[in-house]
Amino acid sequence: MLVGHSTGGGEVARYCGRHGTKRVAKAILISAISPLMLQTDANPDGLPKSVFDGFRAGMNEDRAQFFIDVPTGPFFGCNRPGAEVSQGMIWSWWQQGMIASFKGAYDCITVFSETDSTEDLKGMEIPVLLLHGDDDQIVPIDTSARAGIKLLPNGRLKEYPGGAHALPNLNAQEINKDLLDFLKGGKVMEWCSRWTLISLDR
C-alpha cells in the first residue's frame, strides 16, 4: 500500500502508471500535486508558470530566506488569521530545505508543477483515497484533488475544512485515523457525517 504527500503523491501516481498496480493493493494521496499543477490550454484552471518562476527566483536570490518564507506563510497556513504557529515546525522545514541538494530542490519545482499524471490516475484501478485541505495554498484543491477524483476509477475524496497543505503535520491524529481506517478496509461511507466525501466508481 502506497502513501504519498504533495509531490510524493504525484510519485505514487507515476509509479502506478509506470509499473502497474499488480503489487499495490491501495493508494493514498495527501495534498497531492496530481493530476497537473501548471496552467495549460488543456488545463486552464492550473496555476500560471509565473507562480513557479517566482519560486525559482526566490531560491536563486536567497535560498535561506526562501526556506523561511514558505513555512511561515502558505505551507502551514501561518498567514491565516488566528493560525497556531509552531516555530519548531518552521525551523524543521527550513533545516530540511537547507540540507537538501540545491539543484535537487530547484529541479523539484519543475517536477511538481509540470508533471502530468492524468493518464496515471485513469489507470489506477485500485482503491485510492485522496485527502486534501480546502484551504491548501500550495496545491489548490480545485486544481488537484477535485480534478483528480474525476479521473480515478475507484477513488474517494475527503476534504479537510480549512485544512492547509501540511495536513500530516497539522492534522496528524485525524490523518492517522483516516489512513488506518482506509488501509484496514473500514466502511468509508460511515465517515460521511464527519466530512465531505466524493466517491466515483465505474
Side-chain angles (χ1 to χ4, degrees), residues 3-79:
V3 180
H5 171 254
S6 194
T7 305
E11 293 291 338
V12 169
R14 179 48 48 93
Y15 175 90
C16 292
R18 179 175 294 171
H19 302 291
T21 57
K22 183 177 180 181
R23 299 181 64 186
V24 182
K26 296 179 180 180
I28 300 176
L29 312 183
I30 307 172
S31 310
I33 59 171
S34 51
L36 175 61
M37 292 271 290
L38 185 68
Q39 185 180 67
T40 64
D41 290 341
N43 187 43
D45 296 327
L47 299 175
K49 187 174 181 291
S50 59
V51 172
F52 307 107
D53 288 340
F55 290 168
R56 282 181 277 262
M59 282 193 64
N60 269 330
E61 291 169 10
D62 190 339
R63 176 191 186 190
Q65 188 61 47
F66 176 81
F67 285 128
I68 292 175
D69 291 342
V70 174
T72 56
F75 195 87
F76 294 111
C78 296
N79 55 345

Side-chain angles (χ1 to χ4, degrees), residues 5 75-76 89 93 96 165-173 175:
H5 171 254
F75 195 87
F76 294 111
M89 284 187 184
W93 205 92
Q96 292 174 63
H165 185 64
L167 290 180
N169 300 102
L170 302 173
N171 303 78
Q173 296 305 314
I175 284 282

Side-chain angles (χ1 to χ4, degrees), residues 110-174:
T110 299
V111 171
F112 74 66
S113 64
E114 298 183 21
T115 299
D116 187 344
S117 58
T118 298
E119 295 304 316
D120 300 323
L121 294 180
K122 289 180 180 179
M124 294 176 72
E125 301 285 343
I126 58 173
V128 180
L129 178 63
L130 306 181
L131 304 177
H132 216 104
D134 67 6
D135 191 31
D136 189 329
Q137 301 172 70
I138 301 294
V139 182
I141 191 170
D142 286 333
T143 305
S144 51
R146 288 176 180 166
I149 193 63
K150 299 174 183 178
L151 301 171
L152 289 164
N154 187 14
R156 297 162 183 155
L157 168 62
K158 173 181 176 177
E159 299 184 12
Y160 285 67
H165 185 64
L167 290 180
N169 300 102
L170 302 173
N171 303 78
Q173 296 305 314
E174 190 175 1

